[in-house]
Coordinates of all heavy atoms in Angstrom, one line a residue:
M1 N 23.0 8.0 2.5 CA 22.0 7.1 1.8 C 20.7 7.2 2.6 O 20.4 6.3 3.4 CB 22.5 5.7 1.7 CG 23.7 5.6 0.8 SD 24.6 4.0 0.8 CE 23.5 3.0 0.0
K2 N 20.0 8.3 2.5 CA 18.8 8.6 3.3 C 17.7 7.6 3.2 O 17.1 7.2 4.2 CB 18.2 10.0 2.9 CG 19.0 11.2 3.5 CD 18.3 12.5 3.2 CE 19.1 13.7 3.8 NZ 18.4 14.9 3.5
V3 N 17.4 7.1 2.0 CA 16.4 6.2 1.8 C 16.7 4.8 2.5 O 15.9 4.3 3.2 CB 16.1 6.0 0.3 CG1 15.1 4.9 0.0 CG2 15.6 7.3 -0.4
D4 N 17.9 4.4 2.3 CA 18.4 3.1 2.9 C 18.4 3.2 4.4 O 17.9 2.2 5.1 CB 19.8 2.7 2.4 CG 19.8 2.4 0.9 OD1 19.7 3.4 0.1 OD2 19.9 1.3 0.5
L5 N 18.8 4.3 4.9 CA 18.9 4.5 6.4 C 17.4 4.6 6.9 O 17.2 4.1 8.0 CB 19.7 5.8 6.7 CG 19.9 6.0 8.2 CD1 20.5 4.8 8.9 CD2 20.9 7.2 8.3
A6 N 16.5 5.3 6.2 CA 15.1 5.3 6.7 C 14.5 3.9 6.7 O 13.8 3.6 7.7 CB 14.3 6.2 5.7
F7 N 14.8 3.1 5.7 CA 14.3 1.8 5.6 C 14.8 0.9 6.8 O 14.1 0.2 7.5 CB 14.6 1.1 4.3 CG 14.1 -0.3 4.2 CD1 12.8 -0.6 3.9 CD2 15.0 -1.4 4.4 CE1 12.4 -1.9 3.9 CE2 14.6 -2.7 4.3 CZ 13.2 -3.0 4.0
L8 N 16.1 1.1 7.1 CA 16.8 0.3 8.2 C 16.2 0.7 9.5 O 15.9 -0.1 10.3 CB 18.3 0.6 8.1 CG 19.1 -0.2 9.2 CD1 19.0 -1.7 9.0 CD2 20.5 0.3 9.2
A9 N 16.0 2.0 9.7 CA 15.4 2.5 10.9 C 14.0 2.0 11.1 O 13.6 1.6 12.2 CB 15.4 4.1 10.9
H10 N 13.2 2.0 10.1 CA 11.8 1.5 10.1 C 11.8 0.0 10.5 O 11.0 -0.5 11.3 CB 11.1 1.7 8.8 CG 9.7 1.2 8.7 ND1 8.7 1.7 9.4 CD2 9.2 0.1 8.0 CE1 7.6 1.0 9.2 NE2 7.9 0.0 8.4
K11 N 12.7 -0.8 9.8 CA 12.8 -2.2 10.0 C 13.2 -2.5 11.4 O 12.6 -3.4 12.1 CB 13.7 -2.8 9.0 CG 13.7 -4.4 9.0 CD 12.5 -4.9 8.5 CE 12.5 -6.4 8.4 NZ 11.2 -7.0 8.1
A12 N 14.2 -1.8 11.9 CA 14.8 -2.1 13.3 C 13.7 -1.8 14.3 O 13.6 -2.5 15.3 CB 16.0 -1.2 13.5
S13 N 12.9 -0.7 14.1 CA 11.9 -0.3 15.0 C 10.8 -1.4 15.1 O 10.2 -1.7 16.1 CB 11.3 1.0 14.6 OG 10.4 1.5 15.6
E14 N 10.5 -2.0 13.9 CA 9.5 -3.0 13.8 C 9.9 -4.3 14.6 O 9.2 -4.9 15.3 CB 9.3 -3.4 12.4 CG 8.2 -2.6 11.7 CD 7.9 -3.2 10.3 OE1 8.7 -4.1 9.8 OE2 6.9 -2.8 9.7
I15 N 11.2 -4.6 14.5 CA 11.8 -5.8 15.2 C 11.8 -5.6 16.7 O 11.3 -6.4 17.5 CB 13.2 -6.1 14.7 CG1 13.1 -6.5 13.2 CG2 13.8 -7.2 15.5 CD1 14.5 -6.5 12.5
D16 N 12.4 -4.5 17.2 CA 12.5 -4.2 18.6 C 12.9 -2.7 18.8 O 14.0 -2.4 18.7 CB 13.5 -5.1 19.3 CG 13.5 -5.0 20.8 OD1 12.9 -4.1 21.3 OD2 14.2 -5.8 21.5
K17 N 11.9 -1.9 19.2 CA 12.2 -0.5 19.3 C 12.9 -0.1 20.6 O 13.4 1.0 20.7 CB 10.9 0.3 19.3 CG 9.9 0.1 20.4 CD 8.7 1.1 20.4 CE 7.8 0.8 19.2 NZ 6.6 1.6 19.2
Y18 N 13.1 -1.1 21.5 CA 13.8 -0.8 22.7 C 15.2 -1.5 22.8 O 15.7 -1.7 23.9 CB 12.9 -1.2 23.9 CG 11.7 -0.5 24.0 CD1 10.4 -1.1 23.8 CD2 11.7 0.9 24.3 CE1 9.3 -0.3 23.8 CE2 10.5 1.7 24.4 CZ 9.3 1.0 24.1 OH 8.2 1.8 24.2
R19 N 15.7 -1.8 21.6 CA 17.1 -2.3 21.6 C 18.0 -1.1 21.4 O 17.7 -0.1 20.7 CB 17.3 -3.3 20.4 CG 17.0 -4.7 20.8 CD 18.1 -5.4 21.5 NE 19.3 -5.6 20.6 CZ 19.4 -6.8 19.9 NH1 18.6 -7.7 20.0 NH2 20.5 -6.9 19.1
V20 N 19.2 -1.1 22.0 CA 20.1 0.0 21.9 C 20.5 0.3 20.4 O 20.7 1.4 19.9 CB 21.4 -0.1 22.7 CG1 21.1 0.0 24.2 CG2 22.1 -1.5 22.5
E21 N 20.7 -0.8 19.6 CA 21.0 -0.7 18.2 C 19.9 0.0 17.4 O 20.2 0.9 16.6 CB 21.3 -2.1 17.6 CG 22.5 -2.8 18.1 CD 22.2 -3.7 19.3 OE1 21.1 -3.6 19.9 OE2 23.1 -4.5 19.7
T22 N 18.7 -0.2 17.8 CA 17.6 0.4 17.1 C 17.6 1.9 17.4 O 17.4 2.8 16.5 CB 16.2 -0.1 17.6 OG1 16.2 -1.5 17.3 CG2 15.0 0.5 16.9
C23 N 17.8 2.3 18.7 CA 17.9 3.7 19.1 C 19.0 4.4 18.3 O 18.9 5.6 17.9 CB 18.1 3.8 20.6 SG 16.7 3.2 21.5
C24 N 20.1 3.7 18.2 CA 21.3 4.3 17.5 C 21.0 4.5 16.0 O 21.3 5.5 15.4 CB 22.5 3.3 17.6 SG 24.0 4.0 17.0
V25 N 20.3 3.5 15.3 CA 20.0 3.6 13.9 C 19.0 4.8 13.7 O 19.2 5.6 12.8 CB 19.3 2.3 13.4 CG1 18.7 2.5 12.0 CG2 20.3 1.2 13.4
I26 N 18.0 4.9 14.6 CA 17.0 6.0 14.4 C 17.7 7.4 14.7 O 17.5 8.4 14.0 CB 15.8 5.8 15.4 CG1 15.1 4.5 15.0 CG2 14.9 7.0 15.3 CD1 14.0 4.1 16.0
G27 N 18.6 7.4 15.7 CA 19.4 8.6 16.0 C 20.2 9.0 14.8 O 20.2 10.2 14.4
N28 N 20.8 8.1 14.1 CA 21.6 8.4 12.9 C 20.7 9.0 11.8 O 21.1 9.9 11.0 CB 22.4 7.2 12.4 CG 23.7 7.1 13.1 OD1 24.3 8.0 13.5 ND2 24.2 5.8 13.2
Y29 N 19.5 8.4 11.7 CA 18.6 8.8 10.7 C 18.2 10.3 10.9 O 18.2 11.1 9.9 CB 17.3 7.9 10.7 CG 16.2 8.5 9.9 CD1 16.2 8.5 8.5 CD2 15.0 9.0 10.5 CE1 15.2 9.0 7.7 CE2 14.0 9.5 9.8 CZ 14.0 9.5 8.4 OH 13.0 10.0 7.6
Y30 N 17.9 10.7 12.1 CA 17.5 12.1 12.4 C 18.7 13.0 12.3 O 18.6 14.1 11.8 CB 16.9 12.2 13.8 CG 15.5 11.8 13.9 CD1 15.1 10.7 14.7 CD2 14.5 12.4 13.1 CE1 13.7 10.3 14.8 CE2 13.2 12.0 13.2 CZ 12.8 11.0 14.0 OH 11.5 10.6 14.0
S31 N 19.9 12.5 12.6 CA 21.1 13.3 12.4 C 21.4 13.6 11.0 O 21.7 14.7 10.6 CB 22.3 12.5 13.0 OG 23.5 13.3 12.9
L32 N 21.1 12.6 10.1 CA 21.3 12.8 8.6 C 20.3 13.9 8.1 O 20.6 14.6 7.2 CB 21.2 11.5 7.9 CG 21.6 11.5 6.4 CD1 23.0 12.0 6.2 CD2 21.4 10.1 5.8
R33 N 19.2 13.9 8.8 CA 18.2 14.9 8.4 C 18.4 16.3 9.1 O 17.6 17.2 9.0 CB 16.8 14.4 8.7 CG 16.3 13.2 7.9 CD 14.9 12.8 8.2 NE 13.9 13.8 8.2 CZ 12.6 13.7 8.5 NH1 12.2 12.4 8.7 NH2 11.8 14.7 8.5
A34 N 19.5 16.4 9.8 CA 19.9 17.6 10.5 C 18.9 17.9 11.7 O 18.8 19.1 12.1 CB 20.1 18.8 9.6
E35 N 18.2 16.9 12.1 CA 17.3 17.1 13.3 C 18.0 16.6 14.5 O 17.8 15.5 15.1 CB 16.0 16.3 13.1 CG 15.2 16.8 11.9 CD 13.8 16.1 11.8 OE1 13.2 15.8 12.8 OE2 13.5 15.7 10.6
H36 N 19.0 17.5 14.9 CA 20.0 17.0 15.9 C 19.4 16.8 17.3 O 19.8 16.0 18.1 CB 21.1 18.0 16.0 CG 21.8 18.2 14.7 ND1 22.5 17.1 14.1 CD2 22.0 19.2 13.8 CE1 23.0 17.5 12.9 NE2 22.7 18.8 12.8
Q37 N 18.3 17.6 17.7 CA 17.7 17.5 19.0 C 17.0 16.1 19.1 O 17.1 15.4 20.1 CB 16.7 18.6 19.2 CG 16.3 18.8 20.6 CD 17.4 19.1 21.6 OE1 18.1 20.1 21.3 NE2 17.6 18.3 22.6
K38 N 16.4 15.7 18.0 CA 15.7 14.4 18.0 C 16.8 13.3 18.0 O 16.6 12.2 18.7 CB 14.8 14.2 16.7 CG 13.5 14.9 16.8 CD 12.7 14.5 15.6 CE 11.3 15.2 15.7 NZ 10.5 14.9 14.5
A39 N 17.9 13.5 17.3 CA 18.9 12.5 17.3 C 19.5 12.3 18.7 O 19.7 11.1 19.2 CB 20.1 12.9 16.4
V40 N 19.7 13.4 19.5 CA 20.2 13.3 20.8 C 19.2 12.5 21.7 O 19.7 11.7 22.5 CB 20.4 14.8 21.4 CG1 20.5 14.7 22.9 CG2 21.6 15.4 20.8
L41 N 17.9 12.7 21.6 CA 16.9 12.0 22.4 C 17.0 10.5 22.2 O 17.0 9.7 23.2 CB 15.5 12.5 22.0 CG 15.1 13.9 22.5 CD1 13.7 14.2 21.9 CD2 15.1 13.9 24.0
Y42 N 17.3 10.1 20.9 CA 17.4 8.6 20.7 C 18.7 8.1 21.2 O 18.7 6.9 21.7 CB 17.2 8.3 19.2 CG 15.7 8.2 18.9 CD1 15.0 9.3 18.4 CD2 15.0 7.0 19.1 CE1 13.6 9.1 18.1 CE2 13.7 6.8 18.8 CZ 13.0 7.9 18.4 OH 11.6 7.8 18.1
F43 N 19.8 8.8 21.1 CA 21.1 8.4 21.6 C 21.0 8.3 23.2 O 21.5 7.4 23.8 CB 22.2 9.2 21.2 CG 22.5 9.2 19.7 CD1 22.7 10.3 18.9 CD2 22.5 7.9 19.0 CE1 23.0 10.2 17.6 CE2 22.7 7.9 17.6 CZ 23.0 9.0 16.9

């Protein structure tokens, strides 16, 4: 669900971009887009 995951990543980043959960959400978003190097950076 790319659209829902993108919205969740955006919302989490707005709330607190330095929470581990936010980094994980954004990492999953990049992983779903097959941007694995970016996903690794966030994890």
Side-chain angles (χ1 to χ4, degrees):
M1 297 167 72
K2 283 186 181 180
V3 175
D4 295 75
L5 186 50
F7 179 78
L8 181 64
H10 178 69
K11 188 69 178 173
S13 187
E14 273 187 347
I15 296 167
D16 186 351
K17 65 171 68 173
Y18 296 110
R19 272 279 290 268
V20 289
E21 292 89 349
T22 301
C23 295
C24 187
V25 171
I26 297 171
N28 273 334
Y29 169 69
Y30 281 121
S31 180
L32 190 56
R33 290 181 53 175
E35 296 182 45
H36 301 297
Q37 196 63 54
K38 281 187 180 178
V40 166
L41 288 173
Y42 274 94
F43 293 137

